[in-house]
Amino acid sequence: MDDLLAEFVAETREMLDALGGELVAWEADPADRERLDQIFRFAHTVKGSCGFFDFPRLEKLSHAAEEALDEVRRGNRQASPALVTAVLRVIDRITDHINAIDAGQELPAGGDEHHIAALSADAEDVDDAPLDSEPGQGAAEESEAERPRTPVIQRSIRLPVELLDRMMSGVSDLVLARNDLGRGLRDMGGDPVVDGTFERMSAILDEVRDAVTRMRMQRIELLFSSLPRLVRDLSRELDKQVLVDFEGGDVELDREMVESIRDPLTHAIRNAVDHGFEPAAERRAAGKPDVGTLTIGATQAGNQIYLNVRDDGRGIDAEKVAAKALEKGLVDAKQLEGMSTREKVNLVFLPGFSTAETVTAVSGRGVGMDVVRANIEKVGGGVELSSKLGEGTSLVMRLPLTLSIIDTLSVDIAGQRFVMPRSGVEEIVLGADEDRHFHELGDGTYLEFRGKRVPCLELERILDLDGGIARSDRTYVVVRFSRQHLIAFAVDAVIDHEEAVIKPIAPELTATGLYTGATLLNDGTPVLALDMASIGLRSGLMKIGKGVEEIAGETEVSGDTDTAADVESQVMHFIGFDDVARCIPMSELARIETIDAATVEEHAGTYRAVIEGTLREIAGLAGDPPADGKLRLLRFERDGRAAFYAIRAIVDVAEATGGLMEGSGEALTKGYVVIGSKPVPMIDTAAIAAGAEQVAEAGR
């Protein structure tokens, strides 16, 4: 609510400032009807905002000014300097109230009746005496101690969206240029001085990028704030009882995206209240509570936002929808013959479709769900409608981020390159590993992954590409879509990981459900960004429930359910090169790197290797490192710097119980945790990163 109040204060101040200037200009030319109408709309908007936040004194003041201006608009009153003065004093009074609200202080003492009385037609001849005090009380009688102190106001700046777009575009170009420069530096070989400067520049650019991105973001609860009034008014008009519930109000959206979905969301809610909910008597006869529940939820999955509007009403009768579409000539009988129930339900998206028998103020004009779909697709999103007769309907709007910088993996699929978001990537698995097993269950293929059967999807088939390699030679990107379920996506190879600027693509491409945008790789190659969530939906392995993706069916061997606390206690259990079992918190592990062991050099007990064009220290190596083959490294990042720890083998992702027990005297170890009744030392990532920092400084 604090964010809503801050937005109200900022917007009201802006409108009051504009209102004062317009009043002065109108006073010079009272015949300017267009300016008078604009002033009236300003006053009306201020009144509505004050009423929403339950500020009765503010609402009464703004309403009085609105009434006086409306009298002039209707020709019942002549404009005069006295009227303008009275309205300006009301504006000043409202400003005092707004300042007090912003400073968290009590509203100004005394009533506002004399300010309101000055607006009446009978007060045209009042003098210009100050109206800051109550009648009969002179301003000079007010002592210094009683005079209200000017509050300390935290000012805000409102910027045009076009300027923010230019800033974001500039930062996006800087990120691409930084990536290109980094690739060039890696090709040239490592230089400690240049590398240090480049890393500092990268850190600064990341901070600027984050700040610019956050400037464009706002919580979706600001959009939700006006919906309870909408639902209340509609339900009263239709003589229904509807309770509205919200989920995911803390999800942040681009400000421009919020405005783009306002109308589609309003249409969806109007349809739900009008067509979805039954009257109280009908609900009672069906064994339902008299009051229906409309749930509006938002959730983020990768670079997609899912907005779900669901009700517990009567549901959609597919046969009734089909008959109505046939009656209106939107489809013919031959088309209906081959339609499934789901396809018949989705006929509600046809332009001109309506099941209302008569035209009312709410519905019946054939304008509704087609507007929802058209507006969502216009911004590169999609709409999914599901319904069960007698139980309710769920409408899910999938919204892409129109301009976003995200961490991605660039992958090779049948000789073509694509990128996929790194968010949700659990692990990258090589099909050639000896302990890798595949199972054919029904029509699907499942990968044995850490004791679980994970469904596999071959992206080359989904993208309809020719080529591909043998299953054992492929790489599997395991992506987590919910706390309990995973999907493994088969690619030919993972090429690189990099930051990418995802930009919108043509709606025709987005409508395929395969791509969410396009970007340029570090070498300047244009590639498409894969929409992993939509691909999972298209494959039938996922469904959208309460606004969150879930896998359809039970595919896990274990039925354990992760909780938020359990996730925090997950650790990577591994064997070090001294043959001692250790662990690292999963929350601190960035990823697992694989390098050639032959590239590692040892000097004075310290092991180093060139990784990504930069000289890096490798902790965890004891004795002679392997002379050939591959070397696995745990990568974690601290204060913008990457550090590495060498391991011999991965045991599993395990649950640590009992918390951290300190007392270890071993270097680079901060304590012990219990894994399966055995104490296991946990490496100290901060100490390892500090050692890497010292080596880097010495190198410079």
Side-chain angles (χ1 to χ4, degrees):
M1 196 62 176
D2 291 342
D3 292 341
L4 291 174
L5 190 59
E7 187 78 11
F8 161 74
V9 169
E11 289 186 355
T12 305
R13 277 206 186 102
E14 182 179 314
M15 286 188 288
L16 291 175
D17 291 343
L19 186 57
E22 292 295 324
L23 275 167
V24 174
W26 174 64
E27 183 180 20
D29 184 12
D32 190 345
R33 178 55 187 256
E34 184 178 348
R35 177 167 273 118
L36 174 60
D37 290 339
Q38 186 174 359
I39 293 170
F40 175 79
R41 286 193 295 270
F42 272 132
H44 179 74
T45 303
V46 172
K47 184 192 75 170
S49 300
C50 296
F52 173 76
F53 281 93
D54 194 22
F55 294 134
R57 291 178 62 182
L58 284 172
E59 184 179 10
K60 194 173 181 180
L61 282 165
S62 53
H63 177 69
E66 179 192 26
E67 286 291 321
L69 293 169
D70 192 40
E71 287 289 316
V72 179
R73 291 174 72 238
R74 289 184 292 172
N76 298 333
R77 184 174 178 180
Q78 295 296 319
S80 67
L83 173 61
V84 173
T85 300
V87 175
L88 287 172
R89 286 175 175 171
V90 168
I91 292 174
D92 292 339
R93 186 67 170 175
I94 294 176
T95 301
D96 292 339
H97 285 239
I98 292 296
N99 291 342
I101 293 170
D102 192 24
Q105 300 176 353
E106 294 292 331
L107 296 182
D112 306 314
E113 290 76 12
H114 55 298
H115 293 82
I116 295 173
L119 291 167
S120 66
D122 299 335
E124 291 284 0
D125 298 328
V126 297
D127 57 21
D128 291 333
L131 293 175
D132 295 330
S133 57
E134 292 292 339
Q137 181 184 11
E141 299 175 7
E142 191 177 23
S143 67
E144 186 68 28
E146 295 171 341
R147 192 168 299 156
R149 298 180 180 178
T150 302
V152 178
I153 301 169
Q154 184 177 359
R155 305 293 291 178
S156 61
I157 300 175
R158 300 176 68 83
L159 298 174
V161 175
E162 293 78 10
L163 179 59
L164 295 179
D165 284 339
R166 288 174 56 191
M167 294 176 62
M168 176 62 83
S169 179
V171 171
S172 301
D173 291 340
L174 278 174
V175 170
L176 293 177
R178 187 270 307 272
N179 293 344
D180 194 23
L181 177 60
R183 180 176 58 84
L185 291 176
R186 289 196 298 270
D187 294 342
M188 293 169 55
D191 185 329
V193 176
V194 176
D195 290 345
T197 304
F198 177 74
E199 289 188 10
R200 287 196 298 274
M201 182 197 72
S202 296
I204 294 171
L205 180 57
D206 289 341
E207 293 178 1
V208 173
R209 179 198 65 189
D210 182 66
V212 173
T213 302
R214 291 186 64 84
M215 281 196 296
R216 287 187 54 93
M217 304 299 286
Q218 73 177 27
R219 291 159 67 102
I220 202 170
E221 67 180 1
L222 294 175
L223 175 62
F224 289 168
S225 61
S226 61
L227 300 182
R229 173 70 182 273
L230 172 65
V231 174
R232 176 186 177 276
D233 291 347
L234 282 173
S235 58
R236 287 172 65 90
E237 182 178 349
L238 298 169
D239 194 23
K240 297 179 180 180
Q241 300 180 49
V242 179
L243 175 67
V244 63
D245 187 25
F246 299 105
E247 299 173 351
D250 56 345
V251 172
E252 289 189 337
L253 276 176
D254 186 286
R255 290 176 183 268
E256 191 172 0
M257 179 64 73
V258 169
E259 293 304 317
S260 299
I261 65 175
R262 190 181 298 275
D263 285 345
L265 183 59
T266 301
H267 277 296
I269 291 173
R270 292 172 69 90
N271 275 278
V273 176
D274 188 17
H275 301 291
F277 289 104
E278 316 94 323
E282 187 178 333
R283 290 181 62 87
R284 202 178 305 119
K288 297 181 180 180
D290 291 358
V291 180
T293 302
L294 178 67
T295 304
I296 305 170
T299 186
Q300 182 173 358
N303 59 341
Q304 298 287 319
I305 301 294
Y306 291 88
L307 195 60
N308 192 355
V309 180
R310 65 183 185 275
D311 62 70
D312 62 349
R314 59 169 63 95
I316 299 176
D317 188 334
E319 298 305 322
K320 181 180 178 180
V321 169
K324 200 70 176 181
L326 182 63
E327 176 188 332
K328 289 181 173 291
L330 301 176
V331 294
D332 55 42
K334 186 175 181 180
Q335 289 176 306
L336 290 177
E337 288 179 3
M339 283 189 180
S340 63
T341 301
R342 184 181 183 86
E343 290 172 332
K344 291 178 180 178
V345 167
N346 279 270
L347 291 175
V348 300
F349 289 113
L350 292 176
F353 180 87
S354 176
T355 57
E357 299 297 336
T358 59
V359 176
T360 67
V362 179
S363 63
R365 294 176 176 82
V367 178
M369 299 308 293
D370 63 310
V371 174
V372 173
R373 183 171 66 177
N375 287 351
I376 294 299
E377 290 180 350
K378 188 184 301 181
V379 296
V383 179
E384 294 283 339
L385 179 66
S386 59
S387 181
K388 192 169 184 179
L389 195 60
E391 296 186 11
T393 303
S394 175
L395 177 74
V396 179
M397 292 174 275
R398 177 177 53 82
L399 306 167
L401 298 178
T402 57
L403 184 62
S404 177
I405 305 174
I406 62 174
D407 292 329
T408 64
L409 291 175
S410 57
V411 297
D412 180 278
I413 303 173
Q416 297 191 30
R417 296 177 72 176
F418 300 88
V419 297
M420 62 174 63
R422 277 180 54 193
S423 59
V425 174
E426 189 85 356
E427 193 167 329
I428 297 175
V429 179
L430 298 178
D433 288 354
E434 295 180 357
D435 58 347
R436 200 63 58 219
H437 301 288
F438 295 90
H439 304 272
E440 302 293 338
L441 299 177
D443 296 332
T445 302
Y446 293 82
L447 169 69
E448 190 78 24
F449 175 74
R450 304 197 180 284
K452 301 176 182 179
R453 291 177 181 174
V454 179
C456 292
L457 289 180
E458 296 180 351
L459 288 177
E460 65 182 46
R461 294 185 180 179
I462 294 174
L463 301 177
D464 196 20
L465 299 176
D466 295 330
I469 57 179
R471 175 187 295 174
S472 60
D473 296 329
R474 286 181 174 169
T475 301
Y476 296 85
V477 181
V478 182
V479 180
R480 180 176 292 277
F481 289 97
S482 70
R483 288 183 176 176
Q484 302 180 44
H485 301 96
L486 306 164
I487 295 181
F489 294 92
V491 300
D492 290 356
V494 174
I495 301 172
D496 201 357
H497 54 87
E498 55 195 82
E499 290 180 326
V501 180
I502 305 298
K503 295 189 177 182
I505 54 177
E508 293 78 9
L509 282 176
T510 306
T512 64
L514 300 174
Y515 312 105
T516 187
T519 187
L520 294 176
L521 298 179
N522 286 347
D523 58 4
T525 303
V527 296
L528 291 169
L530 298 175
D531 189 342
M532 308 310 293
S534 292
I535 290 174
L537 287 170
R538 287 168 54 91
S539 68
L541 294 174
M542 292 173 56
K543 62 181 179 181
I544 295 188
K546 298 181 179 181
V548 183
E549 301 80 23
E550 296 177 351
I551 303 299
E554 291 295 326
T555 58
E556 292 186 287
V557 176
S558 172
D560 297 337
T561 301
D562 295 336
T563 63
D566 293 330
V567 173
E568 290 297 323
S569 66
Q570 284 190 338
V571 296
M572 172 68 76
H573 192 193
F574 63 88
I575 305 297
F577 273 89
D578 55 357
D579 294 327
V580 175
R582 292 183 174 83
C583 66
I584 179 177
M586 288 296 295
S587 59
E588 298 183 22
L589 179 63
R591 60 179 177 272
I592 299 175
E593 302 271 9
T594 302
I595 65 172
D596 291 329
T599 61
V600 178
E601 297 289 342
E602 185 269 338
H603 178 71
T606 301
Y607 296 88
R608 298 180 177 86
V610 176
I611 302 174
E612 298 176 349
T614 303
L615 187 63
R616 307 283 191 177
E617 180 188 10
I618 301 176
L621 286 174
D624 295 330
D628 53 14
K630 299 293 183 180
L631 182 64
R632 288 186 176 181
L633 307 175
L634 302 180
R635 176 180 179 138
F636 47 91
E637 297 179 357
R638 287 272 184 164
D639 301 324
R641 291 194 60 85
F644 300 86
Y645 192 95
I647 61 174
R648 187 184 300 278
I650 296 175
V651 178
D652 200 356
V653 176
E655 297 293 330
T657 59
L660 180 68
M661 297 174 287
E662 299 181 355
S664 172
E666 184 182 7
L668 305 183
T669 301
K670 61 180 179 181
Y672 293 89
V673 294
V674 176
I675 300 177
S677 76
K678 292 184 179 180
V680 177
M682 178 178 288
I683 63 174
D684 189 344
T685 57
I688 297 172
E693 179 71 24
Q694 294 174 3
V695 171
E697 291 293 342
R700 293 194 192 102

